[in-house]
């Protein structure tokens, strides 16, 4: 039983000592212990917990991480509002499937059109690497699209039917240039405005671009 983060392997990010991300990893964790740890952390929304086949990863995000994920969420929700696309923001809701031995807490996630138990879109802001296969986790959970923000760019992945799987796909996902869920959204514009330092300037630029 994992009683505290001190019992997990600690893997600090070394790229930015002044604003580090902390990663705690442990293997051979059964489902009951995973759920017990979720209960222990339920009052601390700062942590992101991922589980796959007994491997548990907990990330304590950096300030940079939170700034990017908050800006992305704001711009995406602004776009959905301006285009009058029905949606349900689900934040960092814990998604889990015991039979699939998989669980995740995205940085942000959304249901498009109808509300569902599993979101259509999950967003991950990546500043560190770990041993969790995130796309495999989301495949088992049934998330249709996963967007990774990494090195100031978005990488989009679309879940494929099992009958269509080919060797070029990554854990059942095909990398795509434009979203299947939001095909009119200009991803390059979204990337550009996410990186603008001033919030008002970023939103104004984004609004002009989607008009």
């Amino acid at each position: 039983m994992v009683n505290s983060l001190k019992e997990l392997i600690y893997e600090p990010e070394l790229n930015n000592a002044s604003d580090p991300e902390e990663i705690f990893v442990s293997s051979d964790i059964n489902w009951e212990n995973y759920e017990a740890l979720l209960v222990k952390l339920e009052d601390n929304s700062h942590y992101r917990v991922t589980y796959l086949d007994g491997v548990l990863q907990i990330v304590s995000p950096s300030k940079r991480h939170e700034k990017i994920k908050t800006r992305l969420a704001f711009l995406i929700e602004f776009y959905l509002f301006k285009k009058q696309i029905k949606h349900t923001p689900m934040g960092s809701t814990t998604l889990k499937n015991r039979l699939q031995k998989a669980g995740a807490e995205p940085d942000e996630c959304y249901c498009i059109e109808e509300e569902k138990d599993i979101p259509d879109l999950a967003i991950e802001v990546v500043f560190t690497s770990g041993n969790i296969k995130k796309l495999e986790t989301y495949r088992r959970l049934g998330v249709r699209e996963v967007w990774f923000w990494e090195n100031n760019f978005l990488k989009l992945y679309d879940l494929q039917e099992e009958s269509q799987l080919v060797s070029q796909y990554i854990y059942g996902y095909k990398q795509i240039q434009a979203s299947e869920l939001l095909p009119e959204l200009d991803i390059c514009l979204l990337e550009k405005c996410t990186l603008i330092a001033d919030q008002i300037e970023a939103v104004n630029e984004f609004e002009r671009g989607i008009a």
Side-chain angles (χ1 to χ4, degrees), residues 176-188:
I176 54 178
Q177 299 304 310
S179 171
E180 298 286 339
L181 289 166
L182 305 172
E184 296 182 4
L185 175 60
D186 185 336
I187 298 299
C188 291

Side-chain angles (χ1 to χ4, degrees), residues 41-193:
L41 295 176
E42 65 182 355
D43 293 328
N44 192 332
S45 60
H46 181 68
Y47 293 107
R48 302 283 185 271
V49 182
T50 307
Y51 180 90
L52 182 66
D53 291 333
V55 178
L56 181 76
Q57 176 179 287
I58 303 173
V59 176
S60 175
S62 64
K63 183 189 297 184
R64 292 168 299 142
H65 179 287
E66 294 298 273
K67 286 172 65 177
I68 291 293
K69 80 105 180 176
T70 302
R71 172 66 63 78
L72 271 173
F74 187 91
L75 293 176
I76 290 169
E77 290 171 33
F78 182 81
Y79 175 83
L80 293 169
F81 171 75
K82 294 292 284 187
K83 298 298 182 181
Q84 292 294 283
I85 298 172
K86 291 180 62 178
H87 64 284
T88 304
M90 296 176 67
S92 296
T93 299
T94 300
L95 314 173
K96 55 186 179 178
N97 186 318
R98 180 170 186 154
L99 291 178
Q100 293 291 332
K101 300 180 181 178
E105 294 174 347
D107 286 307
E108 299 288 344
C109 60
Y110 301 89
C111 293
I112 305 300
E113 299 296 343
E114 297 180 359
E115 185 172 354
K116 312 168 187 72
D117 291 333
I118 296 296
D120 298 294
L121 171 63
I123 297 173
E124 292 274 349
V125 176
V126 180
F127 282 110
T128 58
S129 60
N131 62 355
I132 290 290
K133 304 178 183 70
K134 283 291 181 72
L135 280 177
E136 173 63 12
T137 305
Y138 284 120
R139 182 191 70 81
R140 295 193 198 181
L141 294 169
V143 177
R144 179 176 166 183
E145 278 191 21
V146 183
W147 299 2
F148 289 95
W149 176 274
E150 192 169 4
N151 297 323
N152 295 335
F153 293 98
L154 280 166
K155 294 181 180 180
L156 281 58
Y157 295 90
D158 182 61
L159 183 62
Q160 303 297 295
E161 299 289 340
E162 288 191 14
S163 61
Q164 299 175 332
L165 297 185
V166 296
S167 59
Q168 293 93 330
Y169 296 165
I170 305 172
Y171 298 114
Y173 283 85
K174 177 183 179 182
Q175 188 169 359
I176 54 178
Q177 299 304 310
S179 171
E180 298 286 339
L181 289 166
L182 305 172
E184 296 182 4
L185 175 60
D186 185 336
I187 298 299
C188 291
L189 176 67
L190 179 60
E191 293 169 338
K192 174 185 175 182
C193 295

Side-chain angles (χ1 to χ4, degrees), residues 21-33:
E21 292 206 325
E22 296 178 315
I23 304 177
F24 303 88
V25 180
S26 188
S27 58
D28 299 323
I29 303 296
N30 63 36
W31 189 264
E32 289 73 19
N33 284 352

